[in-house]
Amino acid sequence: MLVPVVLVIVLGTIQVGLWAYGRTAAAHAAIATAEEAALTGVGASEARAVGHAIAGAAGLTDLEINLEVTATDARATVRGRMPTFFDLGQTRVSEQATRPLERVVRP
């Protein structure tokens, strides 16, 4: 009777750890995408490729990277699915990052 309770606790702890890892991976991918897009001379496709590489290496699937570049900043949103033991609806992760655009100013 105690074994099922212990298994649920152990697997639940691992599940929460995987979810937290997925959020961290999505956050790092969003930060890297926004930083890459904020650089002068870098296109949106190159910035998205950086985010895809980071999130893909972390194990995120069903990736969707949205990049919005305005006159002052670059905003990246990374959405994906983290593989887990049980899909109880918490496998979707989404993170966002904003970085100011690099500007060249004459002295």
Side-chain angles (χ1 to χ4, degrees):
M1 191 139 146
L2 186 62
V3 172
V5 173
V6 171
L7 281 176
V8 166
I9 291 172
V10 169
L11 291 177
T13 303
I14 293 171
Q15 185 90 350
V16 169
L18 288 172
W19 175 77
Y21 175 75
R23 285 197 60 194
T24 302
H28 284 286
I31 291 168
T33 301
E35 285 181 355
E36 189 73 17
L39 297 175
T40 301
V42 176
S45 61
E46 292 94 354
R48 282 189 188 99
V50 169
H52 272 285
I54 291 172
L60 291 178
T61 58
D62 298 334
L63 279 175
E64 178 186 332
I65 298 180
N66 296 323
L67 181 61
E68 179 184 333
V69 179
T70 65
T72 58
D73 60 6
R75 175 176 290 140
T77 304
V78 175
R79 292 184 181 93
R81 185 175 299 277
M82 189 65 200
T84 57
F85 291 125
F86 309 107
D87 187 2
L88 301 174
Q90 80 275 17
T91 59
R92 296 287 300 164
V93 291
S94 177
E95 291 294 327
Q96 182 177 12
T98 304
R99 295 292 181 260
L101 289 182
E102 180 180 275
R103 291 180 273 179
V104 178
V105 181
R106 293 184 185 247

